[in-house]
């Protein structure tokens, strides 16, 4: 690997290679090595790069082309799911169960995947990002039970989605639609979904050329963040039923 792929410098602020130099096969593999410190992760996301590796592998850094995204202005439940939501007793909150959401995402079965990329090292890294107010979760509760959620990284007015889970049918979708609803109110237009799959496509994901995605990140990540620190108070508590009606 080291003969063909750049190794990151040991300094947390060491530069990443230009994303245009990423491999075509596997798509988007850019570099390896480094660490998962807060400064390095902040720098990575700010430049459209994310870590993704399995237990036993070195840290691998990616910037695929094309990039899968959700435009929050267009992210709404279809009629059938909106009707389901209107009859739901679930509630949505933010940043009240971040560690539990990450753990549930790590344990969620993924078709075609053996194991998880959310290793103990990754959990620790995103917990550190959460403690600094950069990583956030949106949680779906049925009473006191956590039944779904999504987590990711927010820089400026950009949200980089990492993973989501459902313990009840439709709960991860409710978390995604709840996140998009609040992002629209905060003038945050874009959710990075990294790499596409049929499930994301069914929810309305779009495929953007990497150049367009990076140009958008350059602008949005430099914008003033609508909320500094935890999102709990600003997000409030949203009845899932409200997601079934136009906002």
């Amino acid at each position: 690997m080291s003969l063909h792929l750049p190794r990151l410098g040991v300094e947390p602020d060491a530069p990443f290679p230009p994303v245009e130099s990423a491999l075509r096969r596997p798509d988007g593999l850019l570099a390896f090595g480094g660490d998962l410190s807060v400064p390095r992760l902040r720098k990575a996301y700010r430049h459209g790069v994310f870590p993704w590796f399995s237990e036993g592998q070195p840290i691998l850094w990616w910037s695929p082309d094309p990039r899968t995204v959700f435009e929050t202005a267009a992210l709404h439940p279809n009629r059938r799911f909106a009707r389901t939501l209107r009859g739901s007793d679930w509630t949505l909150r933010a940043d009240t169960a971040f560690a539990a959401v990450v753990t549930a995402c790590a344990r969620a079965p993924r078709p075609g995947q053996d194991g998880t990329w959310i290793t103990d090292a990754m959990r620790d890294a995103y917990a550190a990002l959460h403690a600094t107010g950069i990583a956030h979760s949106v949680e779906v509760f049925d009473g006191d039970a956590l039944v779904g959620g999504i987590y990711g990284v927010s820089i400026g007015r950009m949200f980089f989605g990492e993973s989501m889970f459902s313990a009840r049918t439709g709960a991860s979708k409710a978390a995604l639609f709840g996140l998009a609803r609040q992002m629209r109110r905060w003038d945050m237009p874009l959710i990075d979904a990294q790499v596409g799959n049929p499930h994301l496509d069914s929810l309305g994901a779009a495929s953007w050329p990497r150049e367009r995605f990076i140009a958008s990140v350059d602008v949005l990540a430099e914008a003033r963040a609508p909320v500094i620190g935890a999102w709990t108070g600003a997000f409030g508590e949203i009845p899932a039923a409200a997601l079934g009606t136009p906002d």
Side-chain angles (χ1 to χ4, degrees), residues 4 13 15 19 35 54 56 65 78 97 124 139 160 172 202 214 217:
H4 307 288
D13 61 349
V19 295
D35 60 18
S54 299
D65 185 16
N78 61 28
D124 291 344
E139 308 108 16
F160 302 88
S172 64
S202 73
I214 296 297
V217 170

Side-chain angles (χ1 to χ4, degrees), residues 77 79 81-86 239-246:
R79 289 184 179 180
F81 191 54
R83 186 165 58 249
T84 298
L85 288 170
R86 288 195 295 271
L243 304 178
T245 59

Side-chain angles (χ1 to χ4, degrees), residues 109-221:
R110 311 285 177 181
Q113 294 183 8
D114 182 16
T116 179
W117 73 95
I118 308 174
T119 63
D120 288 346
M122 288 282 269
R123 292 193 214 186
D124 291 344
Y126 286 90
L129 285 176
H130 178 62
T132 61
I134 298 172
H136 303 281
S137 59
V138 172
E139 308 108 16
V140 182
F141 289 91
D142 185 357
D144 293 330
L146 178 67
V147 298
I150 185 172
Y151 78 95
V153 174
S154 183
I155 300 176
R157 294 186 181 272
M158 181 73 203
F159 188 86
F160 302 88
E162 276 296 314
S163 190
M164 54 186 181
F165 85 97
S166 282
R168 306 275 177 83
T169 301
S172 64
K173 293 194 293 184
L176 178 64
F177 293 131
L179 171 64
R181 177 183 185 268
Q182 189 60 62
M183 287 180 61
R184 288 192 293 272
R185 296 184 175 191
W186 288 342
D187 192 24
M188 298 176 67
L190 201 62
I191 300 171
D192 173 30
Q194 299 180 349
V195 179
N197 59 46
H199 177 61
L200 296 180
D201 293 344
S202 73
L203 296 175
S207 184
W208 282 15
R210 181 172 55 209
E211 183 178 8
R212 179 185 179 189
F213 174 77
I214 296 297
S216 295
V217 170
D218 285 344
V219 174
L220 294 172

Side-chain angles (χ1 to χ4, degrees), residues 3 10 41 46-47 49 58 69 77 120 124 140 145 154 187 198 209-210:
L3 297 177
V10 296
L41 286 170
R46 172 63 187 80
H47 290 87
V49 177
V69 300
D120 288 346
D124 291 344
V140 182
S154 183
D187 192 24
R210 181 172 55 209

Side-chain angles (χ1 to χ4, degrees), residues 4 17 21 29 40 61 63 92 97 105 116 130 133 147 150 197 215:
H4 307 288
S21 68
L29 183 56
R40 195 185 300 271
W61 301 91
S63 185
L92 282 74
C105 288
T116 179
H130 178 62
V147 298
I150 185 172
N197 59 46

